[in-house]
């Protein structure tokens, strides 16, 4: 039995969940998301406490069903959180001359290279540059927000000696000691 899958998901007051076969559509104030859940393996319903329940049907593949039960529950929970409150990642640029700026639908990064790095922003993502060294990434899809943050961080990973690079806010960087004489 999946510990995570057993937990019901409380549906916020401003969000709605509808089922159409194996398709689950979640609507909220921030937008709409749809997920496909295998209806041959799982049954989903909304109980009287306005909670989303995902229960497995009886099958022979108990181990596989138990693994997927928690995964599908987490996907539905992330989609509900996304359409009701949204997901956010904050990136911090550390280094002399490291700057970020928005130019239309591209993010322009100056990261100490001889050239600027331009990143095309996907249409479902909203990026804001609060200071020149702070980037906020917002969206309703947690997977897409995390992928965009990871892609931006990959342009200049944090180096362990001086801590220069792009990192998430509150990310711990293991620092190394330099050369000794």
């Amino acid at each position: 039995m999946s510990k995570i899958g057993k937990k019901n998901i409380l549906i916020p007051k401003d969000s709605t969940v509808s089922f159409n076969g194996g398709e689950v559509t979640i609507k909220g104030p921030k937008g709409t998301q749809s997920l496909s859940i295998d209806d041959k393996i799982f049954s989903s319903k909304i109980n009287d406490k306005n909670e989303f329940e995902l229960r497995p049907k009886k099958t022979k593949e108990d181990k596989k069903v138990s693994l997927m039960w928690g995964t599908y529950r987490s996907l539905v929970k992330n989609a509900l959180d996304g359409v009701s409150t949204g997901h956010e990642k904050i990136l911090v640029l550390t280094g002399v001359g490291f700057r970020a700026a928005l130019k239309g639908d591209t993010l322009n990064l100056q990261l100490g290279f001889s050239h600027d790095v331009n990143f095309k922003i996907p249409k479902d993502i909203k990026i804001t540059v609060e200071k020149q060294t702070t980037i906020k990434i917002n969206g309703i899809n947690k997977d897409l927000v995390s992928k965009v943050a990871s892609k931006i961080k990959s342009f200049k990973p944090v180096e362990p000696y001086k801590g220069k690079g792009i990192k998430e806010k509150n990310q711990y960087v293991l620092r190394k000691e330099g050369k000794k004489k």
Side-chain angles (χ1 to χ4, degrees):
M1 293 299 264
S2 173
K3 292 179 186 177
I4 295 174
K6 286 184 204 175
K7 297 178 184 175
N8 295 336
I9 303 167
L10 181 64
I11 300 171
K13 293 176 183 167
D14 52 358
S15 300
T16 59
V17 178
S18 60
F19 310 104
N20 185 10
E23 191 77 19
V24 177
T25 305
I26 303 165
K27 294 179 184 174
K30 299 259 183 187
T32 304
Q33 270 194 317
S34 60
L35 301 165
S36 61
I37 295 177
D38 192 358
D39 57 345
K40 295 176 184 169
I41 301 172
F42 297 105
S43 65
S44 51
K45 67 176 184 173
I46 298 174
N47 65 11
D48 55 347
K49 296 178 186 174
N50 200 26
E51 293 178 331
F52 179 83
E53 284 185 21
L54 184 68
R55 298 285 178 241
K57 295 179 180 176
K58 299 294 181 193
T59 60
K60 296 177 183 176
E61 304 175 56
D62 288 337
K63 185 70 174 172
K64 183 181 176 191
V65 169
S66 179
L67 293 172
M68 294 308 295
W69 188 12
T71 302
Y72 278 128
R73 188 249 180 220
S74 294
L75 289 173
V76 171
K77 173 78 170 123
N78 288 337
L80 260 170
D81 289 346
V83 298
S84 60
T85 59
H87 296 287
E88 178 181 75
K89 294 259 184 182
I90 299 173
L91 301 180
V92 178
L93 281 69
T94 308
V96 177
F98 286 20
R99 289 189 290 271
L102 283 174
K103 292 184 179 176
D105 63 343
T106 60
L107 178 68
N108 181 274
L109 299 167
Q110 295 176 354
L111 301 172
F113 300 127
S114 61
H115 60 282
D116 291 355
V117 177
N118 292 317
F119 177 73
K120 180 134 174 53
I121 302 170
K123 65 176 182 165
D124 295 338
I125 296 295
K126 183 179 179 229
I127 293 181
T128 56
V129 178
E130 292 186 344
K131 294 188 254 176
Q132 289 183 338
T133 58
T134 306
I135 303 169
K136 270 192 176 180
I137 305 167
N138 294 311
I140 62 170
N141 190 341
K142 185 175 184 178
D143 185 42
L144 188 59
V145 169
S146 298
K147 282 182 182 177
V148 168
S150 176
K151 180 68 176 169
I152 292 172
K153 285 181 355 184
S154 72
F155 292 136
K156 189 75 170 182
V158 179
E159 55 98 12
Y161 297 101
K162 291 186 179 179
K164 293 164 69 172
I166 304 172
K167 66 175 186 169
E168 287 186 35
K169 188 176 183 181
N170 300 327
Q171 175 183 342
Y172 179 74
V173 177
L174 184 64
R175 299 289 296 271
K176 291 183 180 178
E177 188 177 349
K179 280 186 178 179
K180 294 180 185 175
K181 288 187 177 185

